[in-house]
Amino acid sequence: QVQLVESGGGSVQAGGSLRLSCTVSGGPFSSYSMGWFRQPPGKQREFVAAIESSGSTNYADSVRRRFSISRDNAKRTVYLQMNTLKPEDTAVYYCAAEVYYSEYEGWTAPGFWGQGTQVTVSL
């Protein structure tokens, strides 16, 4: 059974930084494409970043050059380093495994999700 557990969320002032972690148990982690999504208050969940098993990365335009996704296969963990945070980055952040992009769905993941971690950015 694949389980994902996020950590590292919290409250920070605008311009600050946070690093989220997502540790995966079960399944062949090193072969998974991993991703981060977020759901701002009152809005739909949206794609943030993804990293393939090869290490190739993709980012939403809204976070490019501010956020960085990485992975440590030995620790079965994927990270999201968030710098220069803005109030509009406030959301619940979710980690997902086996993420992929399709023309019709955009970025999505079939079934393996974490429980989410809250990130709040204040002025």
Side-chain angles (χ1 to χ4, degrees):
Q1 184 176 356
V2 179
Q3 291 187 319
L4 291 72
V5 178
E6 301 103 333
S7 61
S11 297
V12 64
Q13 288 191 322
S17 299
L18 283 174
R19 188 176 82 155
L20 305 182
S21 300
C22 172
T23 301
V24 181
S25 59
F29 176 80
S30 62
S31 68
Y32 285 151
S33 291
M34 299 295 300
W36 288 94
F37 295 74
R38 67 186 181 185
Q39 186 166 15
K43 297 183 179 180
Q44 290 188 333
R45 190 159 56 189
E46 61 187 25
F47 170 75
V48 176
I51 184 167
E52 297 181 15
S53 57
S54 64
S56 177
T57 58
N58 287 276
Y59 296 93
D61 289 342
S62 59
V63 306
R64 199 183 307 276
R65 290 182 293 276
R66 297 189 300 123
F67 290 11
S68 178
I69 188 171
S70 61
R71 66 190 299 158
D72 185 333
N73 289 337
K75 295 183 178 180
R76 300 179 62 88
T77 300
V78 62
Y79 304 97
L80 185 69
Q81 177 65 45
M82 305 185 295
N83 299 326
T84 319
L85 282 160
K86 304 175 181 181
E88 51 263 44
D89 294 319
T90 295
V92 178
Y93 283 71
Y94 298 90
C95 174
E98 294 190 310
V99 301
Y100 65 90
Y101 179 84
S102 77
E103 181 179 352
Y104 302 103
E105 299 174 281
W107 285 97
T108 188
F112 302 134
W113 291 83
Q115 81 288 350
T117 186
Q118 176 71 46
V119 171
T120 302
V121 185
S122 58
L123 288 170

